[in-house]
Every structure is written in C-alpha cells, then in structure tokens.
Amino acid sequence: MKPIQVGLMGIGVVGAGTFNVLKRNQEEIQRRAGRGIAITMVADLDVARAQSIVGDGVQVVNDARAIIANPEIDIVIELIGGYGIAKQLVLEAIAAGKHVVTANKALLAVHGTEIFAAASAKGVMVAFEAAVAGGIPIIKALREGLTANRIQWIAGIINGTTNFILSEMRDKGLDFAVVLKEAQRLGYAEADPTFDIEGVDAAHKVTLMSAIAFGIPVQFDKAYVEGITKLGATDIKYAEQLGYRIKLLGITKRTAKGVELRVHPSLVPSKRLIANVEGAMNAVVVNGDAVGNTLYYGKGAGSEPTASAVIADLVDITRLHTVDAANRVPHLAFQPNTFDKAMDSLPVLPMGDVVTSYYLRLRVADQAGVLAKVTGILAEANISIDAVLQREADEVSGEGGSATVPQTDLIILTHDCQEAKMNAALAQMQALPTVLQSIVRIRKEELA
Ligand code: HSE
C-alpha cells in the first residue's frame, strides 16, 4: 500500500528531528502503523535551508497553503507555533479534511474549543502529544492508559527552562537574574524567555492536561499563572533546610467545589521523586482513584524527543483514519457532548478558593513580641502552623531595612488553608511596623 502522505509546516529543530527519526526508523514505524508514513511536502519560508534538510526527494514550498491544497496529503504537521498564522492554517487544514498533528500548546490552550469543534464537525483528528512535556507520552497516558480512573490531581514539572534555572539556583546558591543570564548564554533559555519564566508555557500545558483529566473544555483564561522571577536563593536555601525543594509546578486538582488550575513555584518534600527531577527534565505525577500515583519522566523539549511524540501521533492517525470518527478516541478524552454538564459541576476555581499550605518568610526587627504578633494574626485567622524557623538575616540592607535595626528572618510553614484567608492574614502581617520587607509567600504541595 502507498505510504500515507504527510505535509510538514515549519521545519525548525523539531521538524528536522521528525524528518530524521521517521527516516531512520521507517521500517519499524511501518510495521507498527501497518502502512508507510512519508513526509512528501514541506513548507518553510527558508526554502533552501529546508531543502538541504530533507533532500531532493521531498517537495519544498514557501507557502503552507500549497500543502493544504494538495489532495494527496492526508496529514498536516503544524510546527510553526503561536496563535497567528498557525491558527488560520490549522483551521484551513481541518476544513480541507486533513488530520492535524501539532506541538502548539499555546494555540490549543487558548483556541482549543474552536479547533476541536471544527475537527469534530469535519470528522478529522487533531493530535497534540508533542504539546505537553515533549517526549513524555503524557497525553496518551491520561487519555487512554488511565481511562478507568477518576483522576484526582496532576502536578507536573512541565517547563524545562525554569527547572534548569531552579536547579542551578539551588546548586550554586545564585539568584534568579544571574542564573537566567547564564541559561541564555548556554542556550537553555531563549533570548525572550517571558513565556517560560512567567509560567505561561507551563500554564498552556497544564490547561490541556486539566481538560483531558476532568472532561472540561480548555480554559487557559481561568488559569492562575505565577512564574519564578521573584524567587531568591535565600528561600531555596531555607526550603532545603526544612526538607523541601522549590519547583515550578503546573497543578490541576478536582475538589468538591470545582477544579483548581494553577502554575506557581511550590515547595515539594525533597523525598518525593518529582522533587529530584533536575536540569531541563520534565516529570508529571498523576493521581487516579484506582491506580494511585503514577509518575512520568523524560525530556520535555528538544529535536528528537519532541519528534518522538509527533511521530507517535502520525502512527495513531495512520492506524485510525479509516475508522468511523465516532469510534475514535475523543480529542479531549471525553465525548464532547458531555462538556456542558461538566462545566456546571466542575467550574475552574478562582485562586482565592484554592486550598493549599504555605511557606512564609518575614524579615522582621529582632525584638521581643514580634513572633507572638505574627503567630497571633495566623491564629486569629484559624491558620495552623506546621513549623517555624528563625535565622539570622543574610544581609540587613534593602527594602524597608535599616542596618541599625537588628533583623532576623522568620520562616513559617503552615498547614492547609484557603488562599483568600491567607491573603487577608498576609495583609495584616505586612502592616506590622516590625515587618521590614515584603513578605515572601510560596505555596507548598505535599503530593502525598
Ligand atoms: N520552552 C519549553 C521548555 C519547551 O522550556 O520546557 C517547549 O514548550
């Protein structure tokens, strides 16, 4: 049988990896798929560079719409990225009856509802394994492997750039800005690292996982997003002394009131496997009611790891494209006509309704009664303290500080409480004249 024909839009690092892995492993891939898979057309603005990657046997064009117009092409791989032209091309490819494979988490997290609806109406597949955690088959695991479970929560290190930066900060005792520069120099962080360091990339990914886990629409606009730019080496050090590491986690959790959907730095007990995921690696823990905790670990980015996920989707589509659309695995794991019901019973909760525990660091005047005042505010708010540390301040200059006032750091771990309650207590503590700097608040996840 003739190989299934694939058109590739955008041949950068991942596109080149896809081309190479498909070629290198074609025999085994064909045995798995039941049919050959051939990239026969590539669209890229730099035609000469693209042609040098794919060789003479593949048609290279500079207009992606030529792929969509080609009736021989069954599957389109979108590796352009972003919400602009990529969105138009994906919708046009769907309208032309092509199946789509994409690594574009931003596009699906923001416009997924429209794209999946268009794909369902047309009876085509939109596959996106490569959009979350690169080479880790987490979409397959959530959508199929764990399908028996009522999933309770997911917590993931799903951004390699920030995990690399946090690992370096901990190893070398350096602050964020210093490590970011080094990460950029080494190519671990992009020249404009905003999406990574502000948590947006992780939020796109956890939004997709949340939809698949709980059977709700993709709702990036409801995600709480906080990055790592304000973290300092001091807090990483104190966390370590208390038995925790700080990781940027994407978290989504089912609660009685709704779904939590959030990205922020979190203290994680050092003894958890996920706390020991270092450098640019990714890992995701999924808790299901039947299976308990499962952990998925691997490379979250890079040429061939991401190509591994893209090709897995190509194989799935090759196996399933002749199957009646109603009998395929739904795009978001749940049948789309059940989403309205889920929306009513599982709204995404505002951050004020989230319940979690906290690490607080207060730079205070080292004098009698200060600790009592702080703990008094927490007691009044019914926030229970788990542990308290007092440490001599590293340095006594800075915001609100005066070298003439003896200063100390109070580090407090709390038990679970509602975020809104914690915010109110923090405002009261911040107003104390003996609290000399902005209070550091980092959320804490036990992941038990
Ligand atoms: N920039 C991402 C990361 C990879 O650092 O993990 C692509 O989402």
Side-chain angles (χ1 to χ4, degrees):
M1 196 191 300
K2 188 171 127 206
I4 197 161
Q5 313 257 312
V6 181
L8 171 59
M9 297 173 172
I11 186 155
V13 172
V14 176
T18 302
F19 190 82
N20 293 336
V21 175
L22 208 45
K23 198 166 161 196
R24 187 170 76 233
N25 297 341
Q26 59 179 312
E27 202 183 312
E28 290 199 26
I29 290 170
Q30 176 166 351
R31 283 177 56 210
R32 291 186 173 122
R35 185 174 171 190
I37 298 174
I39 296 177
T40 54
M41 236 180 139
V42 171
D44 200 282
L45 292 177
D46 191 341
V47 172
R49 197 188 122 274
Q51 197 79 66
S52 73
I53 295 169
V54 298
D56 288 339
V58 178
Q59 186 188 357
V60 178
V61 293
N62 68 1
D63 177 9
R65 290 193 167 93
I67 290 180
I68 297 171
N70 183 345
E72 296 293 311
I73 298 286
D74 298 300
I75 309 174
V76 166
I77 307 176
E78 183 273 305
L79 296 175
I80 296 166
Y83 323 101
I85 186 70
K87 181 183 173 202
Q88 287 171 35
L89 291 171
V90 164
L91 287 171
E92 286 174 30
I94 291 168
K98 316 283 188 205
H99 302 286
V100 174
V101 173
T102 178
N104 193 338
K105 65 247 27 172
L107 175 63
L108 295 181
V110 177
H111 299 290
T113 302
E114 180 184 353
I115 289 168
F116 294 128
S120 296
K122 198 71 191 175
V124 296
M125 289 172 269
V126 173
F128 53 98
E129 185 63 74
V132 182
I136 305 174
I138 188 65
I139 300 299
K140 189 84 166 175
L142 285 169
R143 201 161 51 176
E144 298 178 49
L146 298 174
T147 200
N149 288 264
R150 187 175 159 86
I151 292 172
Q152 312 286 8
W153 55 262
I154 300 172
I157 295 171
I158 43 180
N159 182 269
T161 305
T162 45
N163 203 52
F164 174 81
I165 292 172
L166 292 175
S167 301
E168 289 288 292
M169 286 173 72
R170 186 177 76 84
D171 278 356
K172 300 184 176 155
L174 296 172
D175 276 324
F176 170 77
V178 180
V179 176
L180 173 62
K181 278 215 177 79
E182 183 64 0
Q184 282 174 313
R185 197 182 62 78
L186 293 172
Y188 281 102
E190 300 197 24
D192 179 1
T194 314
F195 263 32
D196 292 320
I197 63 178
E198 297 293 357
V200 178
D201 175 72
H204 287 146
K205 294 167 181 168
V206 75
T207 296
L208 292 172
M209 291 197 289
S210 181
I212 294 173
F214 304 123
I216 56 175
V218 285
Q219 295 166 82
F220 173 70
D221 56 333
K222 307 244 173 74
Y224 173 82
V225 190
E226 182 184 315
I228 63 166
T229 55
K230 296 193 177 70
L231 281 180
T234 308
D235 296 298
I236 292 179
K237 181 183 74 184
Y238 289 151
E240 186 115 44
Q241 290 173 11
L242 288 157
Y244 291 86
R245 295 209 177 151
I246 298 180
K247 295 290 181 190
L248 183 72
L249 291 186
I251 298 169
T252 188
K253 195 181 280 190
R254 183 200 296 266
T255 75
K257 286 193 195 162
V259 169
E260 295 180 4
L261 180 57
R262 50 193 169 102
V263 171
H264 49 70
S266 306
L267 271 74
V268 180
S270 308
K271 62 188 175 196
R272 301 270 179 265
L273 284 172
I274 195 169
N276 295 280
V277 171
E278 298 291 1
M281 300 303 282
N282 281 201
V284 182
V285 183
V286 182
N287 177 276
D289 67 338
V291 72
N293 280 4
T294 54
L295 172 69
Y296 308 84
Y297 169 85
K299 289 185 178 157
S303 177
E304 294 205 356
T306 311
S308 166
V310 169
I311 296 168
D313 282 343
L314 292 178
V315 170
D316 262 358
I317 293 174
T318 305
R319 285 171 175 155
L320 293 173
H321 74 293
T322 52
V323 171
D324 185 63
N327 293 329
R328 297 184 193 134
V329 182
H331 295 115
L332 292 174
F334 290 72
Q335 299 298 343
N337 59 5
T338 63
F339 277 33
D340 284 350
K341 198 162 157 248
M343 282 285 273
D344 293 339
S345 58
L346 283 176
V348 175
L349 296 173
M351 196 58 195
D353 284 352
V354 162
V355 174
T356 187
S357 55
Y358 296 87
Y359 162 104
L360 308 176
R361 177 167 64 85
L362 297 86
R363 174 63 59 86
V364 296
D366 196 1
Q367 62 195 45
V370 174
L371 180 61
K373 282 224 169 67
V374 168
T375 54
I377 290 171
L378 291 172
E380 190 65 28
N382 203 21
I383 297 171
S384 173
I385 293 171
D386 181 30
V388 179
L389 256 187
Q390 183 169 344
R391 286 285 183 269
E392 196 177 322
D394 280 350
E395 46 180 75
V396 289
S397 57
E399 173 206 351
S402 152
T404 58
V405 181
Q407 299 182 9
T408 189
D409 275 330
L410 285 182
I411 301 110
I412 300 174
L413 298 185
T414 75
H415 289 297
D416 278 353
C417 77
Q418 196 190 5
E419 174 107 352
K421 254 193 197 179
M422 176 54 77
N423 289 343
L426 279 171
Q428 283 183 50
M429 291 189 274
Q430 193 67 70
L432 293 173
T434 45
V435 173
L436 304 174
Q437 293 183 3
S438 297
I439 300 171
V440 175
R441 172 259 299 273
I442 308 173
R443 298 168 188 91
K444 175 164 84 63
E445 303 297 325
E446 292 297 327
L447 305 183

